[in-house]
Amino acid sequence: MTEQELTTKEKAVASGERTRPERYFVPDVDIRETDDALWLYADMPGVAGDGVRVDLHGDVLQVDGTVSARDYEGLTPVYTEYNVGNWVRRFTLADTHRLDASRVSARLANGVLEVRLPKAEREKARRIPVTG
C-alpha cells in the first residue's frame, strides 16, 4: 500500500459573485376545495411577480418567493410585522392522480400567491340524469 499526501486547495470566489445571509420564512397558506379544483392562497408580502416560482414534481408542490433585499437597504422602520426574507413552502399531494397537472396555474396579486390545482375530469362532481 502506498502513502498519499493530502493537500488543501484554497477556494476562489469570483469577483462578481456575492454572498449574503438569507432568511427563509414559511408563508401562511389557506387551502380551499371546490367541485373542480383545489385552491391555495399563500401570503408572501414583498415578492414581485418575477420572484415567484411554483414547481410540481411528482407528488410534491413547492412554492418559492424571492424578495429583493435592495428594496429594503438603508431603511429604518419604526414598526414591522415580519422581517425581510424569502418564502418557501412544500406540500405533498396525496392523490396526484385526481389532479390535472397540465392545467395547474398560479398568479400573484397584492402579496398573495393563488395556485389553482384543477381536478381531473373523472374526479369532478357531476349530475347523473335519471330516465324512467
Side-chain angles (χ1 to χ4, degrees), residues 63-105:
V63 294
D64 294 290
T66 304
V67 175
S68 172
R70 268 188 228 152
D71 296 342
Y72 298 93
E73 287 178 1
L75 296 179
T76 53
V78 175
Y79 173 79
T80 61
E81 291 187 31
Y82 62 93
N83 288 315
V84 177
N86 299 320
W87 303 93
V88 64
R89 183 121 184 217
R90 290 177 192 88
F91 300 90
T92 300
L93 306 173
D95 297 323
T96 54
H97 65 278
R98 296 180 57 201
L99 302 174
D100 186 352
S102 65
R103 297 184 327 155
V104 173
S105 61

Short mmCIF file of all heavy atoms in Angstrom, two decimals, residues 63-105:
data_model
loop_
_atom_site.label_atom_id
_atom_site.label_comp_id
_atom_site.label_asym_id
_atom_site.label_seq_id
_atom_site.Cartn_x
_atom_site.Cartn_y
_atom_site.Cartn_z
N VAL A 63 -43.63 26.05 -3.58
CA VAL A 63 -43.74 27.46 -3.95
C VAL A 63 -42.58 28.21 -3.30
O VAL A 63 -42.27 28.00 -2.12
CB VAL A 63 -45.11 28.07 -3.53
CG1 VAL A 63 -46.24 27.45 -4.30
CG2 VAL A 63 -45.36 27.94 -2.06
N ASP A 64 -41.92 29.05 -4.10
CA ASP A 64 -40.80 29.86 -3.63
C ASP A 64 -41.09 31.30 -4.00
O ASP A 64 -41.54 31.59 -5.11
CB ASP A 64 -39.50 29.45 -4.33
CG ASP A 64 -39.05 28.06 -3.97
OD1 ASP A 64 -38.63 27.87 -2.83
OD2 ASP A 64 -39.11 27.18 -4.84
N GLY A 65 -40.78 32.20 -3.09
CA GLY A 65 -40.89 33.62 -3.37
C GLY A 65 -39.61 34.31 -2.93
O GLY A 65 -39.17 34.15 -1.79
N THR A 66 -38.99 35.05 -3.84
CA THR A 66 -37.74 35.75 -3.55
C THR A 66 -38.02 37.23 -3.39
O THR A 66 -38.67 37.84 -4.23
CB THR A 66 -36.73 35.53 -4.70
OG1 THR A 66 -36.56 34.13 -4.89
CG2 THR A 66 -35.40 36.15 -4.36
N VAL A 67 -37.50 37.79 -2.30
CA VAL A 67 -37.66 39.21 -2.02
C VAL A 67 -36.35 39.91 -2.35
O VAL A 67 -35.28 39.42 -2.00
CB VAL A 67 -38.01 39.42 -0.52
CG1 VAL A 67 -38.06 40.89 -0.18
CG2 VAL A 67 -39.33 38.75 -0.20
N SER A 68 -36.43 41.03 -3.03
CA SER A 68 -35.23 41.80 -3.36
C SER A 68 -34.79 42.58 -2.12
O SER A 68 -35.48 43.49 -1.66
CB SER A 68 -35.52 42.76 -4.51
OG SER A 68 -34.42 43.63 -4.70
N ALA A 69 -33.63 42.22 -1.58
CA ALA A 69 -33.12 42.88 -0.38
C ALA A 69 -32.73 44.33 -0.66
O ALA A 69 -32.73 45.16 0.26
CB ALA A 69 -31.92 42.11 0.16
N ARG A 70 -32.44 44.65 -1.91
CA ARG A 70 -32.06 46.03 -2.26
C ARG A 70 -33.16 47.03 -1.95
O ARG A 70 -32.90 48.17 -1.62
CB ARG A 70 -31.74 46.11 -3.75
CG ARG A 70 -30.31 45.89 -4.05
CD ARG A 70 -30.02 46.18 -5.49
NE ARG A 70 -29.25 45.04 -5.92
CZ ARG A 70 -29.18 44.58 -7.12
NH1 ARG A 70 -29.86 45.14 -8.07
NH2 ARG A 70 -28.45 43.55 -7.41
N ASP A 71 -34.41 46.58 -2.08
CA ASP A 71 -35.54 47.48 -1.81
C ASP A 71 -35.61 47.91 -0.35
O ASP A 71 -36.27 48.88 -0.02
CB ASP A 71 -36.86 46.81 -2.20
CG ASP A 71 -36.95 46.51 -3.69
OD1 ASP A 71 -36.18 47.11 -4.46
OD2 ASP A 71 -37.79 45.67 -4.07
N TYR A 72 -34.93 47.17 0.53
CA TYR A 72 -35.02 47.43 1.96
C TYR A 72 -33.73 47.96 2.56
O TYR A 72 -33.68 48.23 3.76
CB TYR A 72 -35.44 46.15 2.68
CG TYR A 72 -36.81 45.67 2.25
CD1 TYR A 72 -36.94 44.75 1.22
CD2 TYR A 72 -37.95 46.16 2.85
CE1 TYR A 72 -38.20 44.32 0.81
CE2 TYR A 72 -39.21 45.75 2.45
CZ TYR A 72 -39.32 44.82 1.43
OH TYR A 72 -40.56 44.41 1.01
N GLU A 73 -32.67 48.11 1.75
CA GLU A 73 -31.39 48.60 2.27
C GLU A 73 -31.51 50.05 2.72
O GLU A 73 -32.13 50.87 2.05
CB GLU A 73 -30.30 48.48 1.19
CG GLU A 73 -29.86 47.06 0.95
CD GLU A 73 -28.82 46.96 -0.15
OE1 GLU A 73 -28.42 48.00 -0.72
OE2 GLU A 73 -28.41 45.83 -0.45
N GLY A 74 -30.94 50.34 3.87
CA GLY A 74 -30.92 51.71 4.37
C GLY A 74 -32.19 52.15 5.07
O GLY A 74 -32.26 53.26 5.58
N LEU A 75 -33.21 51.32 5.11
CA LEU A 75 -34.45 51.69 5.77
C LEU A 75 -34.34 51.43 7.26
O LEU A 75 -33.73 50.47 7.70
CB LEU A 75 -35.63 50.89 5.20
CG LEU A 75 -35.96 51.11 3.73
CD1 LEU A 75 -37.13 50.23 3.33
CD2 LEU A 75 -36.30 52.57 3.47
N THR A 76 -34.94 52.31 8.05
CA THR A 76 -35.01 52.10 9.50
C THR A 76 -36.47 52.19 9.91
O THR A 76 -36.95 53.25 10.32
CB THR A 76 -34.17 53.15 10.24
OG1 THR A 76 -34.58 54.45 9.81
CG2 THR A 76 -32.69 52.97 10.00
N PRO A 77 -37.19 51.09 9.79
CA PRO A 77 -38.63 51.13 10.10
C PRO A 77 -38.89 51.33 11.59
O PRO A 77 -38.11 50.90 12.45
CB PRO A 77 -39.12 49.76 9.64
CG PRO A 77 -37.93 48.89 9.66
CD PRO A 77 -36.75 49.77 9.37
N VAL A 78 -39.99 51.99 11.88
CA VAL A 78 -40.40 52.20 13.26
C VAL A 78 -41.07 50.93 13.78
O VAL A 78 -40.91 50.56 14.94
CB VAL A 78 -41.37 53.40 13.35
CG1 VAL A 78 -41.91 53.57 14.75
CG2 VAL A 78 -40.68 54.66 12.88
N TYR A 79 -41.81 50.24 12.92
CA TYR A 79 -42.54 49.03 13.30
C TYR A 79 -42.58 48.08 12.10
O TYR A 79 -42.79 48.53 10.98
CB TYR A 79 -43.96 49.39 13.73
CG TYR A 79 -44.84 48.19 13.97
CD1 TYR A 79 -44.75 47.48 15.15
CD2 TYR A 79 -45.73 47.76 13.01
CE1 TYR A 79 -45.54 46.37 15.38
CE2 TYR A 79 -46.53 46.65 13.23
CZ TYR A 79 -46.44 45.96 14.42
OH TYR A 79 -47.21 44.87 14.64
N THR A 80 -42.38 46.80 12.33
CA THR A 80 -42.53 45.80 11.28
C THR A 80 -43.30 44.61 11.82
O THR A 80 -43.20 44.27 13.00
CB THR A 80 -41.18 45.31 10.74
OG1 THR A 80 -40.46 44.70 11.80
CG2 THR A 80 -40.36 46.42 10.12
N GLU A 81 -44.07 43.98 10.95
CA GLU A 81 -44.81 42.78 11.34
C GLU A 81 -44.03 41.51 10.99
O GLU A 81 -44.31 40.46 11.51
CB GLU A 81 -46.16 42.74 10.64
CG GLU A 81 -47.10 43.81 11.15
CD GLU A 81 -48.48 43.67 10.57
OE1 GLU A 81 -48.91 42.54 10.28
OE2 GLU A 81 -49.15 44.70 10.41
N TYR A 82 -43.07 41.63 10.09
CA TYR A 82 -42.25 40.49 9.68
C TYR A 82 -40.91 41.02 9.23
O TYR A 82 -40.76 42.18 8.88
CB TYR A 82 -42.92 39.70 8.55
CG TYR A 82 -43.13 40.51 7.29
CD1 TYR A 82 -42.17 40.50 6.29
CD2 TYR A 82 -44.25 41.30 7.12
CE1 TYR A 82 -42.33 41.26 5.16
CE2 TYR A 82 -44.41 42.05 5.97
CZ TYR A 82 -43.46 42.03 5.00
OH TYR A 82 -43.61 42.79 3.87
N ASN A 83 -39.91 40.16 9.26
CA ASN A 83 -38.58 40.53 8.78
C ASN A 83 -38.52 40.34 7.26
O ASN A 83 -39.35 39.66 6.67
CB ASN A 83 -37.52 39.67 9.46
CG ASN A 83 -37.34 40.04 10.90
OD1 ASN A 83 -37.26 41.21 11.24
ND2 ASN A 83 -37.30 39.05 11.77
N VAL A 84 -37.51 40.91 6.66
CA VAL A 84 -37.31 40.76 5.22
C VAL A 84 -36.67 39.41 4.97
O VAL A 84 -35.68 39.05 5.60
CB VAL A 84 -36.43 41.89 4.67
CG1 VAL A 84 -36.16 41.69 3.20
CG2 VAL A 84 -37.07 43.24 4.92
N GLY A 85 -37.24 38.67 4.06
CA GLY A 85 -36.69 37.36 3.72
C GLY A 85 -37.48 36.70 2.62
O GLY A 85 -38.52 37.21 2.18
N ASN A 86 -36.99 35.58 2.19
CA ASN A 86 -37.65 34.82 1.12
C ASN A 86 -38.68 33.88 1.73
O ASN A 86 -38.69 33.63 2.93
CB ASN A 86 -36.60 34.04 0.33
CG ASN A 86 -35.60 34.97 -0.31
OD1 ASN A 86 -35.93 36.02 -0.81
ND2 ASN A 86 -34.34 34.59 -0.27
N TRP A 87 -39.52 33.33 0.86
CA TRP A 87 -40.60 32.45 1.28
C TRP A 87 -40.45 31.10 0.59
O TRP A 87 -40.14 31.04 -0.59
CB TRP A 87 -41.95 33.05 0.90
CG TRP A 87 -42.18 34.41 1.48
CD1 TRP A 87 -41.91 35.61 0.89
CD2 TRP A 87 -42.69 34.72 2.77
NE1 TRP A 87 -42.23 36.65 1.73
CE2 TRP A 87 -42.72 36.12 2.89
CE3 TRP A 87 -43.14 33.95 3.83
CZ2 TRP A 87 -43.17 36.76 4.04
CZ3 TRP A 87 -43.60 34.60 4.97
CH2 TRP A 87 -43.61 35.98 5.05
N VAL A 88 -40.70 30.03 1.32
CA VAL A 88 -40.68 28.70 0.70
C VAL A 88 -41.63 27.79 1.47
O VAL A 88 -41.71 27.84 2.69
CB VAL A 88 -39.26 28.10 0.63
CG1 VAL A 88 -38.68 27.86 2.01
CG2 VAL A 88 -39.23 26.84 -0.18
N ARG A 89 -42.37 26.98 0.71
CA ARG A 89 -43.28 26.01 1.33
C ARG A 89 -43.44 24.83 0.38
O ARG A 89 -43.52 25.01 -0.83
CB ARG A 89 -44.63 26.65 1.61
CG ARG A 89 -45.61 25.74 2.31
CD ARG A 89 -46.06 26.29 3.62
NE ARG A 89 -46.94 25.36 4.31
CZ ARG A 89 -47.97 25.73 5.03
NH1 ARG A 89 -48.26 27.00 5.16
NH2 ARG A 89 -48.70 24.84 5.64
N ARG A 90 -43.48 23.63 0.95
CA ARG A 90 -43.65 22.40 0.16
C ARG A 90 -44.88 21.65 0.66
O ARG A 90 -45.12 21.59 1.87
CB ARG A 90 -42.43 21.49 0.31
CG ARG A 90 -41.20 22.02 -0.35
CD ARG A 90 -40.00 21.09 -0.10
NE ARG A 90 -38.77 21.73 -0.49
CZ ARG A 90 -38.04 22.51 0.29
NH1 ARG A 90 -38.42 22.74 1.52
NH2 ARG A 90 -36.94 23.06 -0.14
N PHE A 91 -45.60 21.07 -0.29
CA PHE A 91 -46.77 20.27 0.03
C PHE A 91 -46.62 18.91 -0.63
O PHE A 91 -46.22 18.83 -1.80
CB PHE A 91 -48.05 20.91 -0.51
CG PHE A 91 -48.32 22.29 0.03
CD1 PHE A 91 -47.83 23.41 -0.61
CD2 PHE A 91 -49.05 22.45 1.20
CE1 PHE A 91 -48.07 24.67 -0.11
CE2 PHE A 91 -49.29 23.72 1.71
CZ PHE A 91 -48.80 24.82 1.06
N THR A 92 -46.96 17.86 0.08
CA THR A 92 -47.01 16.53 -0.51
C THR A 92 -48.47 16.26 -0.82
O THR A 92 -49.32 16.24 0.10
CB THR A 92 -46.45 15.46 0.44
OG1 THR A 92 -45.10 15.80 0.73
CG2 THR A 92 -46.51 14.09 -0.19
N LEU A 93 -48.77 16.06 -2.09
CA LEU A 93 -50.14 15.83 -2.54
C LEU A 93 -50.43 14.34 -2.47
O LEU A 93 -49.73 13.54 -3.08
CB LEU A 93 -50.33 16.36 -3.96
CG LEU A 93 -49.92 17.82 -4.17
CD1 LEU A 93 -49.99 18.19 -5.63
CD2 LEU A 93 -50.80 18.74 -3.34
N ALA A 94 -51.47 13.98 -1.75
CA ALA A 94 -51.76 12.57 -1.52
C ALA A 94 -52.27 11.86 -2.78
O ALA A 94 -51.85 10.76 -3.09
CB ALA A 94 -52.78 12.42 -0.40
N ASP A 95 -53.15 12.48 -3.51
CA ASP A 95 -53.78 11.83 -4.66
C ASP A 95 -53.54 12.62 -5.94
O ASP A 95 -54.44 13.27 -6.47
CB ASP A 95 -55.29 11.69 -4.44
CG ASP A 95 -55.62 10.80 -3.26
OD1 ASP A 95 -54.89 9.81 -3.08
OD2 ASP A 95 -56.60 11.08 -2.55
N THR A 96 -52.30 12.59 -6.44
CA THR A 96 -51.99 13.36 -7.64
C THR A 96 -52.74 12.86 -8.86
O THR A 96 -52.95 13.61 -9.80
CB THR A 96 -50.48 13.34 -7.94
OG1 THR A 96 -50.04 11.99 -7.99
CG2 THR A 96 -49.71 14.10 -6.88
N HIS A 97 -53.17 11.60 -8.85
CA HIS A 97 -53.94 11.09 -9.99
C HIS A 97 -55.32 11.75 -10.08
O HIS A 97 -55.97 11.68 -11.11
CB HIS A 97 -54.09 9.56 -9.89
CG HIS A 97 -54.91 9.12 -8.72
ND1 HIS A 97 -54.35 9.01 -7.46
CD2 HIS A 97 -56.21 8.78 -8.62
CE1 HIS A 97 -55.31 8.60 -6.63
NE2 HIS A 97 -56.44 8.45 -7.30
N ARG A 98 -55.72 12.41 -9.02
CA ARG A 98 -57.01 13.11 -9.03
C ARG A 98 -56.90 14.52 -9.60
O ARG A 98 -57.89 15.19 -9.79
CB ARG A 98 -57.56 13.18 -7.61
CG ARG A 98 -57.89 11.82 -7.03
CD ARG A 98 -58.43 11.94 -5.63
NE ARG A 98 -59.61 12.79 -5.62
CZ ARG A 98 -60.07 13.41 -4.53
NH1 ARG A 98 -59.44 13.29 -3.39
NH2 ARG A 98 -61.14 14.17 -4.59
N LEU A 99 -55.66 14.97 -9.86
CA LEU A 99 -55.44 16.33 -10.36
C LEU A 99 -55.00 16.30 -11.82
O LEU A 99 -54.40 15.35 -12.28
CB LEU A 99 -54.37 17.03 -9.53
CG LEU A 99 -54.66 17.15 -8.03
CD1 LEU A 99 -53.46 17.74 -7.32
CD2 LEU A 99 -55.90 17.98 -7.78
N ASP A 100 -55.26 17.40 -12.52
CA ASP A 100 -54.81 17.56 -13.90
C ASP A 100 -53.59 18.47 -13.88
O ASP A 100 -53.69 19.69 -13.94
CB ASP A 100 -55.93 18.16 -14.75
CG ASP A 100 -55.59 18.22 -16.22
OD1 ASP A 100 -54.43 17.93 -16.58
OD2 ASP A 100 -56.48 18.56 -17.01
N ALA A 101 -52.40 17.87 -13.77
CA ALA A 101 -51.15 18.63 -13.62
C ALA A 101 -50.87 19.55 -14.80
O ALA A 101 -50.20 20.57 -14.65
CB ALA A 101 -49.99 17.68 -13.41
N SER A 102 -51.37 19.23 -15.98
CA SER A 102 -51.10 20.05 -17.16
C SER A 102 -51.84 21.39 -17.13
O SER A 102 -51.51 22.29 -17.89
CB SER A 102 -51.48 19.28 -18.43
OG SER A 102 -52.87 19.07 -18.47
N ARG A 103 -52.80 21.53 -16.25
CA ARG A 103 -53.59 22.77 -16.20
C ARG A 103 -53.40 23.55 -14.90
O ARG A 103 -54.17 24.45 -14.61
CB ARG A 103 -55.08 22.45 -16.40
CG ARG A 103 -55.38 21.87 -17.75
CD ARG A 103 -56.86 21.65 -17.96
NE ARG A 103 -57.53 21.30 -16.71
CZ ARG A 103 -58.82 21.52 -16.48
NH1 ARG A 103 -59.57 22.07 -17.38
NH2 ARG A 103 -59.36 21.17 -15.32
N VAL A 104 -52.37 23.23 -14.12
CA VAL A 104 -52.10 23.98 -12.89
C VAL A 104 -51.73 25.41 -13.27
O VAL A 104 -50.97 25.64 -14.21
CB VAL A 104 -50.96 23.31 -12.08
CG1 VAL A 104 -50.56 24.17 -10.89
CG2 VAL A 104 -51.38 21.94 -11.62
N SER A 105 -52.28 26.38 -12.54
CA SER A 105 -51.98 27.78 -12.83
C SER A 105 -51.73 28.53 -11.53
O SER A 105 -52.14 28.08 -10.45
CB SER A 105 -53.14 28.42 -13.61
OG SER A 105 -54.32 28.38 -12.83
#
